[in-house]
Structures are given as C-alpha cells and as structure tokens.
Amino acid sequence: MTSVLPPFVQAASGSLGSASANTLTYPLDLITTRIQATEKGTSIRKQIHTHGLSSFYDGIGADAGATLISSFLYYYIYSFLREYVVRGNGKSRAAMLSLPQELAIGYLSGIASRSITTPLNLVTVRLQTARVNDDSSAQGGTSRFTAICQQIFEEEGLRGFWKGFSSTFLLSLNPAVTLYLFQQYRRVMLKGKERASPPPAHSFVGGALANSIAVIILYPLLLAKTVVQASRRTRSTNNTSQASIQSSLQAIYTTGGFFALYRGLGAQLFKGVLRQGTAMMVKQRIEQLVVQAYLRQRALRRVQYKG
C-alpha cells in the first residue's frame, strides 16, 4: 500500500518530513559522522567546552539543503515512476507491486536524487569533520561553506564534488528497501482505513524498523563512503592517489577486523530510528491534512451548489 496522492504532494510532504527529522537529529548525525571518519569516539563534554553547543550544528545548512532537495526528488520520481508502472499494469494507484518492481523504482529514484545532491553531502561531511581534523580553513572566515567548496575544487577539481559517488549505486538500495519494508509493515500490521492512512505511532515505528534493517544490510558501504568523503589530499606530499570505496573497506578491515566495518553502527541506528521514524510520521501527517483539506473544500462546494 502506498499513497494515492499526486507526485508533487508526496514529494513536498516527504521533503518536509525529512527536513524536520534532520533538524531534530542533526547533532547525533554529526557525532556519528565523526566516529565513522576518525576511527575514534567524540568527547561531547570536551567539544562543548572547546567549541560550544553551536559546534554540534556544523554544516547543518548544507545538510538541510541536501535533505530537502534529495527527499523531494526521490519521492517525486518514485511516485511518478510507480504511477506509470501501475497504470501500465492496469491497476489502481494503491495496488501493491512485486518486490523487484518496488525495489527497481526505489533504486532508480535514489540514484537520480543522489547524483544531484552528492556535492552538498560531501561539503556537509567536510564541515562536520573540520574541527576533528583541525582544518582551519573550514573553521574561520566569513563563509565556511565557500571555503570548503574552494578547498575541494583546489584538491580535485569539479570531479572532486562527486567523491564517493560510486557507492551510490549500492547505497541507493537503502531508501528503496526502507520504503518497501515500510509498505510491508503497513500491509501486515494495519487494516482498513489505518492501512491507507497510518496513525502517527505506526508511521514512526514502521519507518524506524524499516530503516534499521536497511542500514544494517548496507552499513559497511555507508561507513566507507563517509571515510572517502572526509579524506583530504595533503599538499605536503606528492601523493596523488585517491581513496576509493574498495580500498577504504580493505583498510578498515585490515586495521580492525570484521567488527571495525560496523564501528558507529549503534549511533547510526539510533539516529536512523529517530530520523526515519519522524520523517515518515510527519510525511503521513501532512498527507492526511491535505486529504482532509480537500474533503472539506469538496463538501463546501456541494453545499454552495445546493444553495
């Protein structure tokens, strides 16, 4: 079961839900990124003492922009492609598709949205890890965002803004699997009207469970992507080699063994529960309000017509 609302409404509600969840969980997201990128825990007390509470929101502007754009594009493309497939099969909008069809639609939507927002995601990771790496160019000045962009361009040119993008071809399965599992949760756990329009509690729990399963499956790749995007080319050496997803995974495994591939998983899951649960809950609530507003307007028109 999925929403029967037009693609634009689904995209708008999805992006607003993701942005709300992103703002709520951002400090935890920053800490998780630093654990993944630096191979060590982040002392919260030390960070507050040294940099203040505002340091927990380093890069939130870039991340909020990436979240809004990525979520809007993902839900719009997903709902558009899904409606196209459903109509081609002669089914109603609310009909369930097969697992391969659902995953294929979600996968293509994920690649399309991430291909556009990868530069913003890269800048966000650099801003989040700047204090840990003592990157003065990213900590001072009138615009840290501009400084990071200039730094990336000087290191690797325009191509550098899509650093780590190769992982997207597998990580795009994450939102696809999450959305599919959420729909299955609605199908199994809910009945009648609640299945078509889940209550906030079920939206939260269903979204959180679906995201947790997807994250566990793909976490090593997510970790390697963060390591690659956080890495900087040093000017003091003539080393021109670039970290890749494969080499990062191999280095992490060689250094710390199998369990090192899951460092920071606990924080990632906790963040995911709050973020995805809140995002789904807000998305469903916005869609409910849209439907209610439409029904009220329709009823008002009927009254006016009869009068």
Side-chain angles (χ1 to χ4, degrees), residues 147-263:
I148 287 291
C149 290
Q150 184 177 357
Q151 182 186 72
I152 296 171
F153 182 77
E154 290 176 352
E155 289 177 359
E156 301 177 58
L158 285 175
R159 188 177 180 180
F161 286 95
W162 277 266
K163 193 175 185 180
F165 180 72
S166 60
S167 64
T168 297
F169 293 100
L170 285 177
L171 286 176
S172 290
L173 285 172
N174 191 311
V177 172
T178 298
L179 194 55
Y180 175 79
L181 292 175
F182 177 69
Q183 291 178 8
Q184 292 302 314
Y185 174 87
R186 293 165 65 177
R187 186 181 185 184
V188 173
M189 301 298 296
L190 303 176
K191 297 180 180 179
K193 294 182 179 180
E194 286 191 346
R195 180 181 291 180
S197 182
H202 277 288
S203 296
F204 185 95
V205 173
L209 287 175
N211 181 74
S212 296
I213 295 173
V215 166
I216 291 173
I217 295 172
L218 299 169
Y219 187 77
L221 198 62
L222 179 64
L223 172 64
K225 179 187 176 184
T226 301
V227 171
V228 169
Q229 292 187 328
S231 64
R232 292 159 172 78
R233 182 180 296 180
T234 58
R235 299 178 183 177
S236 58
T237 66
N238 293 323
N239 180 20
T240 58
S241 63
Q242 299 182 34
S244 66
I245 299 297
Q246 184 177 355
S247 63
S248 296
L249 283 172
Q250 185 175 356
I252 295 170
Y253 178 80
T254 301
T255 303
F258 175 79
F259 291 105
L261 295 173
Y262 288 88
R263 70 169 184 250

Side-chain angles (χ1 to χ4, degrees), residues 296-307:
R296 283 197 298 268
Q297 186 178 21
R298 186 177 179 181
L300 181 61
R301 286 180 178 177
R302 287 181 178 177
V303 172
Q304 292 175 345
Y305 177 77
K306 290 180 180 180

Side-chain angles (χ1 to χ4, degrees), residues 49-209:
H49 178 74
T50 306
H51 305 292
L53 288 172
S54 62
S55 63
F56 286 99
Y57 288 89
D58 287 346
I60 190 172
D63 193 51
T67 299
L68 282 170
I69 297 172
S70 179
S71 298
F72 183 89
L73 289 175
Y74 178 82
Y75 282 108
Y76 186 86
I77 297 171
Y78 176 88
S79 57
F80 177 82
L81 291 176
R82 192 181 193 284
E83 185 175 348
Y84 177 80
V85 173
V86 167
R87 286 184 176 180
N89 294 339
K91 299 179 180 179
S92 66
R93 283 184 174 181
M96 288 292 295
L97 296 178
S98 65
L99 174 59
Q101 288 177 321
E102 290 282 6
L103 290 180
I105 292 172
Y107 180 71
L108 293 175
S109 303
I111 290 179
S113 62
R114 288 172 185 254
S115 65
I116 295 174
T117 57
T118 291
L120 282 175
N121 291 328
L122 174 61
V123 173
T124 299
V125 171
R126 290 290 186 93
L127 287 169
Q128 289 178 331
T129 58
R131 297 183 192 273
V132 176
N133 294 324
D134 295 324
D135 192 343
S136 59
S137 66
Q139 297 181 41
T142 57
S143 175
R144 291 187 295 167
F145 181 88
T146 302
I148 287 291
C149 290
Q150 184 177 357
Q151 182 186 72
I152 296 171
F153 182 77
E154 290 176 352
E155 289 177 359
E156 301 177 58
L158 285 175
R159 188 177 180 180
F161 286 95
W162 277 266
K163 193 175 185 180
F165 180 72
S166 60
S167 64
T168 297
F169 293 100
L170 285 177
L171 286 176
S172 290
L173 285 172
N174 191 311
V177 172
T178 298
L179 194 55
Y180 175 79
L181 292 175
F182 177 69
Q183 291 178 8
Q184 292 302 314
Y185 174 87
R186 293 165 65 177
R187 186 181 185 184
V188 173
M189 301 298 296
L190 303 176
K191 297 180 180 179
K193 294 182 179 180
E194 286 191 346
R195 180 181 291 180
S197 182
H202 277 288
S203 296
F204 185 95
V205 173
L209 287 175

Side-chain angles (χ1 to χ4, degrees), residues 18-34 44 47 53-67 120-131 144-145 267-268 270-272 274-276 278:
S18 296
S20 301
N22 176 72
T23 302
L24 175 66
T25 62
Y26 190 79
L28 185 58
D29 181 54
L30 180 142
I31 293 172
T32 303
T33 299
R34 289 180 177 174
I44 298 177
Q47 183 170 327
L53 288 172
S54 62
S55 63
F56 286 99
Y57 288 89
D58 287 346
I60 190 172
D63 193 51
T67 299
L120 282 175
N121 291 328
L122 174 61
V123 173
T124 299
V125 171
R126 290 290 186 93
L127 287 169
Q128 289 178 331
T129 58
R131 297 183 192 273
R144 291 187 295 167
F145 181 88
Q268 181 75 29
F270 184 60
K271 178 194 73 175
L274 291 177
R275 175 174 288 189
Q276 192 65 35
T278 302

